[in-house]
Amino acid sequence: MPPRPSPTHFLCIPLVTAVSHRQLSASLSSFRADVTSPESFGIPDQAIRPIGTLHLTLGVMSFPKNEGLEEAVALLKTIIPRQILADIAAPPPTKQAAEVGGLPGPLPPPLLVTLKSLHTMQSAAKASVLYAPPIDNGILTKFCEELRSAFQKAGLMMEDNRPLLLHATILNTIYVKGKNASRGGKGKSREKLTIDARQILDRYEDYLWMEDVPIEKIAICKMGAKKQENGDEAYEVEAEIDMV
């Protein structure tokens, strides 16, 4: 079996907007100050993700030498987000409406995102990634699944049979460099840095990262966040569309 290609790009919903920036800046700064303090949990500062990197990943893609990227961008440009939302929110048509074709309904309300709590995909006692999940009444997940499905059906997105788990990564120890980056051994034998996050998860179980922020964009981004002039980090946007 040939090796699985390395992902080069990803489809996402960026979470940093003019509306959310102040909320995320305050909540992330408070979290960073707490968990990195030697008097608290002593987490390496590099593990905390910069505000500019926060997003909801919908799926990853592999475009070696950018082959296939133009097709993905072209597909993104054909998507009408408000129509997808309207189809999700619309009740099943009545027989009478179906016979006459029906009339277009009102525009759906903006899709809002609230990030609350802190979870891990691994054992809390040996975690390397902590994330904030969005509060969802089902519409956000259905919307994102429709977007992901469009790219999968076109053969542009790497197959993933797991249910879509929407999450904003807050902490990832893979970004910790230097003497704190691993534990034990040398070279390939070194183990990835993990932390006992049980008390952190308990403390931030009800933590509000941002509230009622309208989604503004859907984007295709390039893997690997880059330093910005203001000292923040962000992913390079290859293409994006507006929600409206």
Side-chain angles (χ1 to χ4, degrees), residues 85-98:
L85 277 178
D87 292 342
I88 292 172
T94 63
K95 182 178 179 181
Q96 182 180 5

Side-chain angles (χ1 to χ4, degrees), residues 14-237:
L15 294 176
V16 183
T17 68
V19 175
S20 71
H21 193 278
R22 179 176 294 183
Q23 294 184 46
L24 286 172
S25 180
S27 59
L28 200 59
S29 294
S30 177
F31 174 78
R32 181 191 298 273
D34 176 28
V35 301
T36 60
S37 170
E39 298 177 358
S40 184
F41 300 105
I43 303 297
D45 185 76
Q46 292 171 313
I48 314 302
R49 300 303 291 135
I51 184 174
T53 65
L54 298 186
H55 64 275
L56 300 177
T57 300
L58 309 186
V60 297
M61 298 169 279
S62 180
F63 302 129
K65 300 180 181 179
N66 286 338
E67 295 175 359
L69 178 59
E70 287 188 7
E71 294 177 52
V73 170
L75 176 58
L76 180 66
K77 299 293 186 181
T78 67
I79 291 174
I80 306 175
R82 297 306 291 266
Q83 184 59 56
I84 296 175
L85 277 178
D87 292 342
I88 292 172
T94 63
K95 182 178 179 181
Q96 182 180 5
E99 290 174 350
V100 300
L103 295 174
L107 288 175
L111 191 54
L112 307 179
V113 175
T114 293
L115 296 179
K116 186 177 181 180
S117 192
L118 195 63
H119 296 178
T120 181
M121 299 177 193
Q122 303 119 343
S123 164
K126 293 189 66 176
S128 59
V129 176
L130 304 182
Y131 68 88
I135 295 176
D136 184 22
N137 61 3
I139 293 179
L140 176 61
T141 295
K142 289 179 181 178
F143 174 74
C144 294
E145 287 174 342
E146 288 292 326
L147 294 173
R148 181 174 74 163
S149 178
F151 282 80
Q152 288 178 336
K153 289 178 179 178
L156 295 168
M157 185 171 286
M158 298 170 71
E159 287 294 331
D160 189 343
N161 296 322
R162 297 172 298 178
L164 180 61
L165 176 63
L166 295 175
H167 65 282
T169 301
I170 301 295
L171 180 154
N172 191 339
T173 63
I174 197 173
Y175 297 102
V176 178
K177 308 299 181 184
K179 64 180 181 180
N180 293 323
S182 60
R183 291 176 177 168
K186 294 182 179 180
K188 294 183 179 179
S189 65
R190 294 185 301 178
E191 295 181 4
K192 181 170 62 175
L193 174 64
T194 60
I195 59 174
D196 185 343
R198 287 174 290 185
Q199 292 185 40
I200 299 177
L201 298 183
D202 286 344
R203 181 176 296 183
Y204 288 89
E205 180 179 4
D206 296 317
Y207 194 65
L208 189 63
W209 302 91
M210 71 180 203
E211 185 175 23
D212 292 339
V213 173
I215 293 176
E216 295 184 0
K217 306 278 187 181
I218 301 164
I220 294 175
C221 294
K222 192 173 182 178
M223 289 284 185
K226 296 182 178 180
K227 283 282 188 182
Q228 306 297 299
E229 292 182 358
N230 62 1
D232 194 9
E233 292 184 27
Y235 293 98
E236 180 181 344
V237 176

